Every structure is written in structure tokens, then in C-alpha cells.
Amino acid sequence: MSRRSLVAAVILVATLLTALSVHAMWAPWSGTTQPASGSAPHGSVTLTGGTAHEVVILTISAPVTGTTAVDVRLVPRDRAATGTSPPDVTVSAVLPTAGHAVPGFTAVPTSDDRYHVAGLPLMMPGRWELLVAIDGDGRRDRLVFPLTVPR
């Protein structure tokens, strides 16, 4: 086996191990996620990401062409370190392959650590990127979540 092939194999194994450990680390949150309305609607999609401050859980009610609701849940990593006021949460969307972008919609707080966007327009099928901005208490966190809207 050549040195180049060995290096490629080591990188592949390291990448797979990293992906498995990240999945195992976040699995407890993904199984208990509920949108702000209280129950996950049929056909909804839940995406999980995180920042240094919290785990961010997005629930998209209907990932189809048209307008869809988006729920955002912020699970603080350290409850004692939470800020004095709730952060501002904004959700926007980009379809890079077609050059489409949806401006940011301010998510409305619905309860502790939960926010809601009633109508995010996704005008065509494709691989969208949902951008979530969390601003407050002197921080500016940005996350990108991939979402495929089928035909």
C-alpha cells in the first residue's frame, strides 16, 4: 500500500469515527424533540446543531415547496450560565444552486427556550440551507442546517 493510500485510509477512518461520536453525543436530544406546538406533525423534519452556549433543535413542519412553519428550541448547555434576557432568534433560507434567498424572519418566543416562525417561504424544490441567527447577551451565534425540499 502506498503512503498516499495509507494517509487517505487514516483520514477516512478518522472522519467516520468523528461522525459516529458526534451522532452518539447528540442522540439523547434528537429523540425527545417536540416542536413548540407540543406534538410533531406528520412529515415534519427535525434537525439538530449546536453552539458553545446551547444545542439548537429545528423542527420544520412540512419541508415542501410553499410556506412552512419552523420551530426553534434552544437547550442551554449550562442552565446556570443562561443570560438575563432571551436572545433574538432569526431564521432565513438560501437555495445556493438556484441563487434564491429568503430574508430573515424573526422567530417569536412561544415559551422558555422555544421560538416559532409561522411562514418561511421555500419557493422551489432543492437543497436549501436554513440559517439560524441567535443574538443576545453580547453574543452572535450563526448556524446552518441543510434541508432538502422534494419535488
Side-chain angles (χ1 to χ4, degrees):
M1 184 181 272
S2 72
R3 180 177 173 90
R4 179 178 268 174
S5 297
L6 182 61
V7 169
V10 168
I11 290 172
L12 178 62
V13 168
T15 302
L16 288 173
L17 289 175
T18 301
L20 287 172
S21 65
V22 167
H23 175 71
M25 184 170 53
W26 297 120
W29 282 290
S30 63
T32 59
T33 301
Q34 296 292 326
S37 63
S39 64
H42 179 69
S44 66
V45 173
T46 300
L47 305 168
T48 306
T51 70
H53 302 97
E54 63 248 326
V55 175
V56 180
I57 303 166
L58 244 58
T59 302
I60 299 91
S61 65
V64 295
T65 301
T67 302
T68 188
V70 178
D71 291 297
V72 180
R73 181 176 173 205
L74 306 178
V75 180
R77 293 188 187 276
D78 181 6
R79 185 57 81 171
T82 55
T84 56
S85 62
D88 293 325
V89 176
T90 305
V91 179
S92 59
V94 175
L95 182 60
T97 57
H100 295 305
V102 175
F105 283 76
T106 300
V108 178
T110 59
S111 66
D112 288 343
D113 305 324
R114 294 177 187 261
Y115 299 81
H116 181 75
V117 173
L120 187 69
L122 303 173
M123 67 267 312
M124 67 183 294
R127 186 166 170 88
W128 287 84
E129 294 178 353
L130 300 184
L131 295 92
V132 177
I134 305 167
D135 296 309
D137 291 326
R139 67 184 173 111
R140 296 179 53 96
D141 291 327
R142 303 291 181 263
L143 294 99
V144 178
F145 294 89
L147 176 69
T148 300
V149 174
R151 292 185 181 263

